[in-house]
Amino acid sequence: MSSPVYTALKIFLRQVTGNYFRNIHVAGVENMPMEGPTILCCNHSNQFMDAMLIISQCPRPLSFCFAASSYSKPIVGYLAKKINVIPVYRAEDVKAKGKGTIIMTSDTDIQGFSTQFISEVKDNKNFKLGIHSLRIKKEYKLIVEKVIDEEHIKVRSNPKVYETLKKMGKQNFYYLPKIDNSFMFKESCKKLKEGKAVCIFPEGTSHDRTDLLELKPGVAYIALEAIANYGIKGIKLISCGFSYFKRDEFRSDLVLEFGIPFEIPESLGEAFKSNKDGAINLFLKIVETQMRSVILTAPNYKEYMLVKMIRNLYIPSDVQLTPEKSSDLARRISTVYNMVRDEKKAKQIKLKVMKYMEPLEKLGLEDKDLKAVNLSYDILISKFIISLFLLIINLIFTLPMLIIALPLLKFVNKKAEDERSKSLEKNPNKLKGKDVVSSVKVVTFVKYLPLVGIVWVNLCYFFANYYLNKLTHKDYNFVYVFFIGCITFMFYGYLSINIFDNLKYHFEKIKTLFYFFIVPKGIDNLRNIRKELVEDVRDFVNESIKNTQYENDKIINWEKKYY
């Protein structure tokens, strides 16, 4: 049973997220256990927005493990305290930059240059060294075994990191102190003991990469300690994946998918008592497998876009998949592609698809724009005129609200861009820092929206007493105008959001038709390339899925053309 505050927050966030996103497609929600101890693990690709969506869409009340550093944030921190989230303290939030530079001379030895290891570190046993490689935009953390002197440290053997960094020369570094999160573990186990559900983001921080970050062991400690030390049985592990389409844009789409519940075996709790590291590593592999089953991952952005394009080319033009089916198909193609990526045919397909994607990107077109049937010049002209007319009509209707809200929109976008830049500087795990944009936009907009409402109500009062008064010869009471102003503000604001979708649709349509006019031969050539490529992609995918788990479980049956 959820508290009144949680219920009110759920209703509020459903409205906020429903207005920010154009479509929220939720799949597998029936998989969520409605009772008993449950751990919900989610990928973390959109900062606070992820938690907002989970609260608004999950049918069961949740206790969140929440970064303690966010408690100081005005709106988010206040709401977090009201719904009794469990604070998580992270070493990254209190890391300190070290003086000088370092290099790895072996897989266990660190050589410092102008460093002050002894002077800067109070507790020589309870800290890690963090290395941020600017060249490959990656972060490494090394467990310190012993501080020898001001310029020499022994670290726990890590051959992989050594092989990566040994040729990169001197690197900047920082200190990561050991953090005591015993309260978080205790509170989480207490919630599970009471048969409640705990939500955690195992990656530990939000990011905009195309693959999962290395999972933090916190989720394993919670689950295994609950079994081993609290005697809790029947804990269910369930994953939830966010697949955003243009995550940083207003009125974009997303798919939120709940996976199949997995009951954590009690034998893992027993193993935890005798071999903590082994049990934790095994459990994290289970968590990673569960999480990968509900999201699309790729080693880099290019391959992420490659898989999505192969998916688009594979789907027949007369088949319309649901967003859930479309996401599932992309995951399957990604799995199969990774199995055969080193084969000659896979490399050829990759090259052909990349060559097709390049001119599309330069023209600002999407693959769906080329799916349209060839139309005559007269029909294209008529479509262009109709779309332009509708664009102007919609723009005129939303113009008053747009003018009033424009300063706030400018401020919100600037705030989001500033936060994106800061986030990118602080966290090397991020590619462009786009994971913070939507959260900042929503929080800032909600915070300052009442100011826009005040301007609207005052304009209504001015209009009523200086214009309507001349027509009706009647004075309008401020309370009456205030009430009418609030109603019209909410109604007109809601309509404006939906009309924004029409504006965006007609603008994109006009842009596409414009390219059809100015480069007709180029568009025709791209269509011909696409036509040939569709056949190659279809053959490649159908051939690759043979002898896999997908051979007899096809989303698209090419013989019968149904899904």
Side-chain angles (χ1 to χ4, degrees):
M1 183 72 179
S2 60
S3 68
V5 174
Y6 190 95
T7 302
L9 182 62
K10 183 184 181 77
I11 295 169
F12 172 70
L13 292 181
R14 188 177 280 267
Q15 292 301 315
V16 170
T17 55
N19 283 317
Y20 186 83
F21 292 101
R22 182 175 56 186
N23 291 306
I24 301 174
H25 305 278
V26 183
V29 69
E30 68 279 358
N31 293 331
M32 183 69 192
M34 294 307 295
E35 58 182 22
T38 304
I39 298 175
L40 178 65
C41 293
C42 312
N43 64 312
H44 208 0
S45 53
N46 212 344
Q47 209 190 33
F48 304 131
M49 188 63 76
D50 293 336
M52 292 181 194
L53 287 162
I54 283 291
I55 291 173
S56 64
Q57 300 298 329
C58 183
R60 185 177 178 183
L62 300 165
S63 295
F64 283 84
C65 291
F66 186 79
S69 59
S70 297
Y71 267 59
S72 60
K73 297 185 183 294
I75 295 177
V76 176
Y78 174 78
L79 292 174
K81 291 168 188 173
K82 287 296 180 183
I83 59 172
N84 299 315
V85 301
I86 305 166
V88 179
Y89 296 91
R90 303 181 301 184
E92 288 84 355
D93 295 329
V94 289
K95 65 184 180 184
K97 190 178 185 302
K99 290 182 181 178
T101 55
I102 59 174
I103 61 171
M104 289 192 77
T105 55
S106 75
D107 64 336
T108 59
D109 293 290
I110 296 284
Q111 166 74 55
F113 297 89
S114 302
T115 52
Q116 298 179 10
F117 293 139
I118 294 176
S119 305
E120 290 183 333
V121 179
K122 293 179 181 178
D123 187 346
N124 292 342
K125 293 182 179 178
N126 290 318
F127 76 99
K128 295 180 183 179
L129 277 187
I131 302 173
H132 177 192
S133 176
L134 293 173
R135 191 184 301 181
I136 57 175
K137 289 187 176 181
K138 201 164 183 180
E139 187 177 44
Y140 299 95
K141 293 170 187 173
L142 301 167
I143 298 173
V144 175
E145 297 282 2
K146 185 180 180 182
V147 177
I148 299 172
D149 56 40
E150 294 282 22
E151 294 190 339
H152 295 87
I153 277 182
K154 282 277 185 185
V155 296
R156 187 174 296 178
S157 178
N158 200 324
K160 287 184 179 180
V161 174
Y162 172 62
E163 287 299 320
T164 304
L165 295 178
K166 67 178 180 180
K167 297 179 181 179
M168 293 190 180
K170 298 176 183 178
Q171 300 285 330
N172 293 322
F173 71 101
Y174 52 87
Y175 300 104
L176 290 161
K178 185 177 180 180
I179 299 294
D180 181 12
N181 264 315
S182 55
F183 176 77
M184 183 267 287
F185 297 129
K186 184 178 178 181
E187 282 298 301
S188 299
C189 290
K190 182 181 175 183
K191 299 287 185 187
L192 293 173
K193 186 79 172 177
E194 294 169 357
K196 294 179 179 178
V198 174
C199 180
I200 190 168
F201 299 95
E203 293 168 283
T205 184
S206 71
H207 63 96
D208 57 351
R209 288 189 172 271
T210 55
D211 202 354
L212 291 172
L213 298 181
E214 182 179 350
L215 303 187
K216 300 289 190 291
V219 64
Y221 273 103
I222 291 171
L224 301 181
E225 198 165 297
I227 296 172
N229 300 330
Y230 287 80
I232 304 171
K233 298 180 180 180
I235 300 176
K236 297 284 197 311
L237 173 71
I238 182 169
S239 56
C240 181
F242 299 96
S243 297
Y244 292 95
F245 301 86
K246 300 179 180 178
R247 81 186 83 198
D248 58 320
E249 289 188 13
F250 176 59
R251 300 302 285 172
S252 56
D253 297 342
L254 76 98
V255 174
L256 191 157
E257 184 173 350
F258 291 86
I260 305 298
F262 170 83
E263 186 168 326
I264 304 170
E266 291 178 37
S267 56
L268 268 179
E270 292 301 317
F272 181 72
K273 293 177 181 178
S274 57
N275 182 7
K276 277 191 177 182
D277 289 344
I280 286 170
N281 290 334
L282 179 57
F283 184 77
L284 288 179
K285 286 179 182 177
I286 294 170
V287 173
E288 184 177 347
T289 301
Q290 291 287 102
M291 291 178 68
R292 288 188 183 279
S293 71
V294 290
I295 58 173
L296 171 63
T297 58
N300 55 60
Y301 183 73
K302 271 190 175 181
E303 292 213 356
Y304 180 80
M305 297 308 294
L306 173 71
V307 168
K308 292 183 82 171
M309 182 58 76
I310 290 175
R311 184 270 313 273
N312 293 344
L313 294 167
Y314 182 72
I315 299 173
S317 57
D318 59 339
V319 169
Q320 185 68 39
L321 294 181
T322 63
E324 295 86 352
K325 289 279 187 182
S326 183
S327 294
D328 189 23
L329 180 60
R331 281 195 295 272
R332 293 180 181 209
I333 289 173
S334 177
T335 302
V336 171
Y337 175 77
N338 286 325
M339 289 165 60
V340 299
R341 64 185 306 134
D342 294 327
E343 294 181 10
K344 184 179 179 181
K345 194 166 184 179
K347 292 179 179 178
Q348 290 173 342
I349 283 292
K350 178 180 179 179
L351 190 62
K352 288 180 180 179
V353 174
M354 287 294 190
K355 282 185 176 180
Y356 168 68
M357 290 168 66
E358 285 175 12
L360 281 179
E361 189 175 345
K362 288 178 181 176
L363 288 171
L365 295 174
E366 295 184 28
D367 177 65
K368 65 182 180 182
D369 298 326
L370 299 182
K371 282 187 176 182
V373 181
N374 285 315
L375 301 172
S376 67
Y377 190 79
D378 291 340
I379 294 175
L380 287 174
I381 285 287
S382 65
K383 282 182 171 290
F384 184 88
I385 292 171
I386 291 169
S387 287
L388 185 61
F389 174 75
L390 292 172
L391 179 72
I392 293 170
I393 293 296
N394 284 303
L395 188 59
I396 290 171
F397 186 85
T398 57
L399 200 57
M401 181 62 77
L402 187 63
I403 292 171
I404 294 169
L406 191 60
L408 177 58
L409 294 174
K410 286 282 186 183
F411 175 72
V412 165
N413 285 328
K414 186 181 183 307
K415 187 89 172 171
E417 178 57 28
D418 291 345
E419 196 64 32
R420 185 194 70 80
S421 300
K422 288 179 187 176
S423 172
L424 198 57
E425 288 177 11
K426 289 180 181 178
N427 194 333
N429 291 314
K430 301 186 180 188
L431 296 175
K432 296 181 179 179
K434 289 187 175 182
D435 58 300
V436 305
V437 173
S438 288
S439 299
V440 175
K441 283 181 178 179
V442 167
V443 171
T444 308
F445 195 80
V446 168
K447 186 178 178 181
Y448 292 100
L449 185 60
L451 294 178
V452 180
I454 290 170
V455 173
W456 178 267
V457 169
N458 278 281
L459 285 174
C460 288
Y461 184 74
F462 176 82
F463 177 78
N465 283 290
Y466 287 89
Y467 287 95
L468 288 182
N469 177 268
K470 292 179 181 179
L471 294 173
T472 61
H473 304 289
K474 179 183 176 183
D475 290 328
Y476 291 90
N477 183 278
F478 181 77
V479 175
Y480 173 75
V481 175
F482 177 81
F483 178 74
I484 297 298
C486 289
I487 296 295
T488 55
F489 178 69
M490 290 187 288
F491 180 71
Y492 185 43
Y494 178 76
L495 278 181
S496 297
I497 289 172
N498 286 277
I499 290 170
F500 177 82
D501 291 339
N502 292 330
L503 280 170
K504 193 174 180 181
Y505 169 76
H506 290 299
F507 176 77
E508 293 295 332
K509 195 171 181 180
I510 287 169
K511 186 178 74 172
T512 302
L513 291 169
F514 179 72
Y515 282 121
F516 274 51
F517 291 138
I518 62 171
V519 283
K521 288 185 179 178
I523 297 295
D524 287 339
N525 288 337
L526 272 175
R527 275 184 167 154
N528 291 330
I529 292 170
R530 187 185 191 281
K531 189 176 180 181
E532 293 177 8
L533 192 54
V534 163
E535 297 297 323
D536 292 339
V537 165
R538 183 198 302 178
D539 292 341
F540 167 72
V541 174
N542 288 339
E543 184 66 30
S544 299
I545 64 172
K546 288 181 179 178
N547 302 317
T548 69
Q549 67 266 40
Y550 306 127
E551 184 174 11
N552 298 316
D553 181 27
K554 297 177 182 177
I555 291 178
I556 297 174
N557 188 318
W558 284 92
E559 288 74 30
K560 296 183 180 181
K561 289 286 183 75
Y562 67 85
Y563 58 96

